Amino acid sequence: MDGVTRDNRVFLGIAALFRGEFSIDWLLELLPQQRPTRVLEQLEAGVTQGWLQRERVGCYRFVNEELRAGLEAGLPPDTCAGLGRSIAEVLVRQMESEPQLAHEVARHLCRLRNDLAGCRYLVQAGDVQLRVYRTDEALMCYSKALEDLGVL
């Protein structure tokens, strides 16, 4: 990634924690200290460089999965863990209207040791998965919630 500043690499790394399409609104919730214009500048720079694709107004996706995975891997593990919980909280609010987000919520929470709130989110994600007949994913959510509740 030629021409990437350190700030832009960190920003893109945070965006890379989302798999598939992500919203500028989600990034602003994760990065409340960032000005919206600065976030938009960085996203548009990613589009200009060919790293991101604008899906629709305010929504983007990485063009290349290998690039996305590399940016995610470049983040410190503690940053990934803390942001994983925050991402799950952002996505769980939209999960009922967009059931496909349940998989993303579960992906983040299954990598963490969850508190009671995280376990509730896992159960919610499991319930959404069950309603769309994804029983294996639902069982994974319920199992992880039970595992984490066992150590609280």
Side-chain angles (χ1 to χ4, degrees):
M1 290 180 53
D2 298 328
V4 180
T5 66
R6 183 186 178 292
D7 283 348
N8 198 248
R9 184 177 296 277
V10 170
F11 173 81
L12 289 172
I14 291 168
L17 291 170
F18 294 100
R19 299 220 173 132
E21 187 177 295
F22 59 91
S23 164
I24 188 173
D25 297 334
W26 300 347
L27 291 171
L28 289 170
E29 283 191 61
L30 292 176
L31 304 166
Q33 73 282 5
Q34 290 282 327
R35 293 185 334 238
T37 52
R38 180 68 182 130
V39 170
L40 191 56
E41 283 173 2
Q42 292 190 52
L43 289 168
E44 289 304 314
V47 170
T48 301
Q49 292 294 327
W51 306 319
L52 297 175
Q53 175 180 327
R54 193 178 311 104
E55 294 291 296
R56 52 196 159 97
V57 175
C59 294
Y60 298 82
R61 107 176 18 255
F62 280 90
V63 172
N64 178 314
E65 175 58 24
E66 190 175 312
L67 170 66
R68 188 210 60 76
L71 287 164
E72 180 181 6
L75 290 173
D78 58 331
T79 299
C80 289
L83 286 172
R85 187 172 315 282
S86 297
I87 288 170
E89 290 171 359
V90 167
L91 297 180
V92 85
R93 290 192 289 274
Q94 296 184 17
M95 199 167 51
E96 288 301 319
S97 62
E98 298 179 56
Q100 72 276 9
L101 295 177
H103 181 73
E104 192 71 4
V105 169
R107 184 179 71 82
H108 285 286
L109 292 178
C110 283
R111 297 172 12 186
L112 305 172
R113 187 165 172 189
N114 292 287
D115 58 8
L116 187 57
C119 291
R120 284 187 179 126
Y121 293 150
L122 277 167
V123 170
Q124 281 182 270
D127 291 347
V128 171
Q129 298 280 31
L130 201 53
R131 281 196 293 279
V132 294
Y133 305 105
R134 291 183 169 163
T135 53
D136 289 341
E137 289 92 344
L139 287 173
M140 178 187 68
C141 292
Y142 299 143
S143 296
K144 177 64 173 157
L146 287 172
E147 177 186 319
D148 288 351
L149 285 170
V151 295
L152 287 181

